[in-house]
Amino acid sequence: GRSLGHRIVEIKNDDPHKREIAIEMKDYIRTVIEEYKELSDRNLIDKDIPMSNANYSKVSQRNLEKGTMGDQCAHFKGRLLWLARTSRPDIAFATHVLTRSMPDNWTVLDDEILYTIICYLESTINQVLHIIIDDRDNDSFEMLNMTDSHYGGCIKTGRSTSGYTSM
């Protein structure tokens, strides 16, 4: 079925105790990609990671100039946050980095990070979140939380950065 943009598919398996579910958002991702294409004249290319250190290694005065997508950044940040939190944890860090910028300090570097995420989503549109539920584990539930921080990690402000993921 569908719920809030998600398509939830139950995967059949032979184990009566296990239930497998795949959550995908291809239609939602296609919408995000089409919206981006309407606002940008850049051709999308294949990307195998949502953000690269290369984004930061190319820091120059040019990259810190005002970007072109600043007026639309809130719209795209909202869409990417929804994807990262609900079905695409692989874009969570890149989206987190992007959400630190606001329209008044949006730069060419932020344009590049947004472009890289959109390219990555187009390249990986068939990826799904795969969940396995085993009813023999009803007495226990484990959640893995991981955090990371980096003192002075933001190249634009020099502020400390942090991130987290829950599985």
Side-chain angles (χ1 to χ4, degrees):
R2 281 206 180 272
S3 173
L4 299 172
H6 298 87
R7 191 167 80 86
I8 302 167
V9 179
E10 187 154 355
I11 301 167
K12 301 217 184 274
N13 69 46
D14 296 332
D15 188 338
H17 296 286
K18 289 187 178 177
R19 183 174 175 209
E20 294 184 55
I21 299 170
I23 302 173
E24 62 94 350
M25 293 187 69
K26 287 181 195 174
D27 293 339
Y28 188 87
I29 292 170
R30 280 189 194 103
T31 299
V32 173
I33 291 167
E34 290 307 314
E35 289 172 349
Y36 182 84
K37 286 179 177 178
E38 287 177 14
L39 297 170
S40 174
D41 59 355
R42 295 182 74 175
N43 292 324
L44 301 182
I45 59 173
D46 283 345
K47 296 277 186 178
D48 58 354
I49 54 175
M51 187 175 144
S52 164
N53 285 341
N55 291 106
Y56 282 137
S57 65
K58 297 177 185 173
V59 174
S60 65
Q61 190 58 38
R62 159 98 176 94
N63 284 347
L64 298 177
E65 292 175 3
K66 185 160 181 61
T68 60
M69 300 293 282
D71 292 339
Q72 294 83 22
C73 72
H75 174 77
F76 284 106
K77 289 189 301 187
R79 289 209 177 262
L80 295 175
L81 280 168
W82 177 247
L83 279 170
R85 291 178 178 163
T86 59
S87 65
R88 294 297 299 263
D90 52 329
I91 67 167
F93 177 76
T95 300
H96 171 73
V97 170
L98 196 63
T99 58
R100 294 186 300 208
S101 295
M102 301 308 273
D104 59 336
N105 68 346
W106 189 267
T107 66
V108 170
L109 183 60
D110 297 315
D111 282 344
E112 187 61 30
I113 294 169
L114 176 60
Y115 170 74
T116 303
I117 296 170
I118 298 294
C119 288
Y120 174 76
L121 286 172
E122 185 175 64
S123 301
T124 60
I125 198 165
N126 291 318
Q127 286 188 4
V128 299
L129 186 62
H130 191 219
I131 301 169
I132 300 173
I133 303 165
D134 191 328
D135 66 9
R136 294 171 289 203
D137 293 334
N138 283 343
D139 293 339
S140 67
F141 177 78
E142 291 183 32
M143 177 175 261
L144 176 62
N145 292 306
M146 294 186 284
T147 63
D148 188 26
S149 62
H150 186 260
Y151 179 74
C154 181
I155 58 160
K156 293 192 320 187
T157 65
R159 294 183 180 153
S160 296
T161 57
S162 63
Y164 70 92
T165 186
S166 298
M167 296 181 262

